[in-house]
Amino acid sequence: MTTTFPWSTSGPSDRDRSPYADAVPRSFWLDSDDAPEPCAPLEESADADLVVVGGGLSGLRAAIQAKEDEPARDVVLLEADTVASGATGHSGGFIVSSLTHGVSNGLTRFPDELPALERLGRENFDQTLTALERHSVDCDLELSGEITVALEPHEEEWLADEAQELRRLGHDAVLLDAEAVRAEVRSPLYRGGLWQRSGAGILQPAKLAWGLTRVAQELGVRVFEGSRVTRLQPAGAGLGVSTTHGQVNARGAVLTTGAFRSPVRAVRRRIVPVWDYVLVSEPLDATRRASLGWTNRQGIGDAGNQFHYYRLTADDRILWGGYDAVYSFGNGVGAHMHERDATFARLAQHFFTTFPQLEGLRFTHRWGGPIDTCSRFSAFFGTSHGGRVAYAAGHTGLGIGASRFGARVALDLLARHRTEATALRYVRTRPIPFPPEPLRWAVIQLTRNRLAAADRSQGRRGVWLRLLDRLGLGFDS
């Protein structure tokens, strides 16, 4: 059984690069015949009651809920590129009920509110599933749960504590020893695991976004793609929202720009775009499929600070991502960040270390995408422009489920509705901002280095990480 750090500390080789040499540099989710024709851009002036900025899951859900609240409300959705082209279409496709990026993070930051947040998260999860069924949205949803695997002894202790908290908060959570976890998925690295069987599953995120776009349009939302917002400014009692070729005059706006530059300074100071990278394999044949087990098709992540996440697709490919969380100086989100050979090579190396029985498998797709990370690892909310604008930001990689809740909160903040959620400190407070450049880049690089060092040292957090813990700061994807 493995008792030492499992990953090679030597640099990747040409052998590691060979399996993805012919991979398409595009998201597997977006490289689909199911993709709809793009909507036309906004090319004129228009009036509306509400403008939603951002065509990811948060924006689509805000637009839909706004119309369901008031069917007569005139809602416009503006997307700079195409629906699902941002974090949505570049994600791993995991849906979980947590609003706090897991119970451990919730206990650290909102211990008194965590029971309520977990209950609200489960309610939001159930309502999400009900809405998908009601609107006949097909997104390859599988409620298979999620396994966190321990690769080192100290991680087994972490998982035991996590299992206890999950059960206390009402979840169906099963702690697995080495034999049990390997009976679920066969890897020589696994020492144990925690299978959360409630409030977790996998889906095809782009199909989800495309389905929600259809629902929004059927409800009367006007969707404009290729319409980047360039300016927000007060206009009488309302708001003027300028785009590259047109403008919308509205009573208010909901901003869901994710990792991309927000028009609101309070959001920009609290978000860093962290780049995550992914490989997707060719479909597994029957022999390879049998060599893995994995009959219950759970989503999987390992328990390290630098962690991998992986899952099966509907056609039995393996999506394998994570580990490196890359920040580009100055909050860079340019096209040059989509390719990072050193990370793809490391991912391939780690993949075959985890599943040596799959040696010779090829990867067909590779990509990178930005995640809107904040220092508390979970979404934050607020208003600006004299209350004319509300926002939800910083989902830090777990927005597929939580974004519906975030959209609801943003709409309630815009309407000045006091609800159970808006009264929570979780909603009323915002994370500590990241420092300006060049200090921002230096702090993030140091933190990444110390997190990697902790993984190599049985999880022991050094002076720097303990200081960040005391300040309530962190870095994650």
Side-chain angles (χ1 to χ4, degrees):
M1 182 178 290
T2 302
T3 57
T4 59
F5 185 64
W7 312 123
S8 171
T9 55
S10 62
S13 66
D14 289 342
R15 184 178 179 221
D16 299 316
R17 292 179 170 86
S18 175
Y20 66 84
D22 300 323
V24 175
R26 177 171 170 76
S27 166
F28 171 73
W29 308 126
L30 298 173
D31 191 18
S32 170
D33 293 337
D34 294 314
E37 289 296 316
C39 300
L42 178 69
E43 296 183 330
E44 56 188 20
S45 293
D47 295 321
D49 296 315
L50 176 70
V51 174
V52 177
V53 181
L57 295 178
S58 293
L60 290 165
R61 284 167 164 157
I64 289 169
Q65 290 183 83
K67 288 294 288 185
E68 289 177 336
D69 291 346
E70 299 180 38
R73 180 185 287 178
D74 187 4
V75 179
V76 166
L77 185 146
L78 302 173
E79 163 55 38
D81 194 343
T82 57
V83 163
S85 62
T88 296
H90 291 83
S91 71
F94 295 79
I95 180 170
V96 298
S97 62
S98 177
L99 303 177
T100 59
H101 210 277
V103 298
S104 295
N105 189 56
L107 279 170
T108 299
R109 303 179 190 281
F110 306 102
D112 296 338
E113 293 183 345
L114 188 59
L117 287 167
E118 279 294 309
R119 174 177 52 79
L120 290 169
R122 289 195 299 273
E123 291 172 2
N124 174 71
F125 189 86
D126 292 342
Q127 291 163 2
T128 297
L129 303 185
T130 299
L132 295 180
E133 183 176 1
R134 183 173 71 250
H135 293 299
S136 300
V137 175
D138 176 14
C139 56
D140 300 335
L141 175 66
E142 300 180 57
L143 297 178
S144 48
E146 181 176 72
I147 296 180
T148 305
V149 292
L151 307 185
E152 299 194 70
H154 67 274
E155 294 171 358
E156 295 177 77
E157 299 174 15
W158 292 350
L159 295 188
D161 292 341
E162 183 94 351
Q164 184 176 353
E165 289 298 335
L166 282 168
R167 293 182 193 125
R168 183 179 69 84
L169 292 163
H171 281 284
D172 179 1
V174 179
L175 199 61
L176 307 172
D177 62 17
E179 182 179 0
V181 73
R182 294 181 190 190
E184 291 296 327
V185 185
R186 298 188 190 105
S187 170
L189 299 186
Y190 295 172
R191 299 183 58 91
L194 171 58
W195 183 2
Q196 181 182 328
R197 300 195 293 195
S198 59
I202 55 176
L203 49 73
Q204 211 283 39
K207 285 180 70 174
L208 172 59
W210 297 331
L212 293 178
T213 302
R214 171 185 58 79
V215 173
Q217 291 173 318
E218 289 173 352
L219 291 172
V221 176
R222 291 181 285 165
V223 179
F224 297 96
E225 295 178 301
S227 301
R228 184 179 303 279
V229 170
T230 57
R231 188 180 181 189
L232 297 178
Q233 58 183 343
L239 195 71
V241 183
S242 300
T243 73
T244 43
H245 299 292
Q247 178 167 314
V248 181
N249 298 305
R251 296 180 182 178
V254 171
L255 301 185
T256 62
T257 48
F260 296 90
R261 182 179 172 84
S262 172
V264 174
R265 184 172 180 270
V267 175
R268 293 198 301 269
R269 296 171 59 224
R270 292 172 169 83
I271 290 290
V272 294
V274 174
W275 283 78
D276 209 29
Y277 294 88
V278 175
L279 295 171
V280 170
S281 77
E282 62 190 339
L284 302 176
D285 60 27
T287 301
R288 283 174 167 150
R289 186 72 177 78
S291 75
L292 287 174
W294 213 347
T295 56
N296 288 313
R297 299 179 60 84
Q298 306 96 329
I300 301 177
D302 55 61
N305 291 310
Q306 288 186 287
F307 61 92
H308 304 88
Y309 56 83
Y310 40 113
R311 50 154 301 178
L312 295 166
T313 65
D315 60 348
D316 280 342
R317 302 167 187 262
I318 298 177
L319 178 147
W320 175 267
Y323 199 75
D324 284 349
V326 179
Y327 174 70
S328 177
F329 185 88
N331 283 15
V333 290
H336 67 286
M337 291 294 295
H338 288 273
E339 288 276 348
R340 197 168 192 269
D341 184 67
T343 295
F344 291 135
R346 187 174 295 111
L347 283 172
Q349 183 186 72
H350 293 183
F351 178 91
F352 291 110
T353 302
T354 305
F355 297 126
Q357 67 268 46
L358 298 182
E359 190 68 40
L361 191 70
R362 307 285 297 179
F363 296 104
T364 61
H365 292 75
R366 66 178 191 265
W367 72 83
I371 294 169
D372 58 332
T373 294
C374 68
S375 63
R376 77 182 197 186
F377 306 155
S378 58
F380 64 94
F381 316 91
T383 60
S384 69
H385 292 71
R388 298 178 180 91
V389 175
Y391 57 81
H395 285 96
T396 314
L398 288 184
I400 289 180
S403 59
R404 184 183 184 278
F405 175 88
R408 176 74 270 160
V409 167
L411 288 170
D412 287 337
L413 290 175
L414 191 66
R416 295 178 173 82
H417 290 160
R418 184 172 175 83
T419 67
E420 179 186 10
T422 62
L424 292 171
R425 187 171 65 87
Y426 170 77
V427 170
R428 292 184 290 103
T429 61
R430 291 179 290 186
I432 296 173
F434 291 95
E437 298 289 19
L439 185 58
R440 175 180 294 197
W441 185 89
V443 166
I444 290 173
Q445 299 313 312
L446 175 60
T447 305
R448 291 181 64 221
N449 177 277
R450 293 299 84 201
L451 287 169
D455 281 339
R456 296 191 298 270
S457 304
Q458 294 78 52
R460 291 191 292 270
R461 295 173 77 81
V463 174
W464 178 250
L465 295 183
R466 293 199 302 272
L467 173 62
L468 294 184
D469 292 341
R470 287 196 295 272
L471 294 175
L473 289 166
F475 179 78
D476 200 1
S477 67

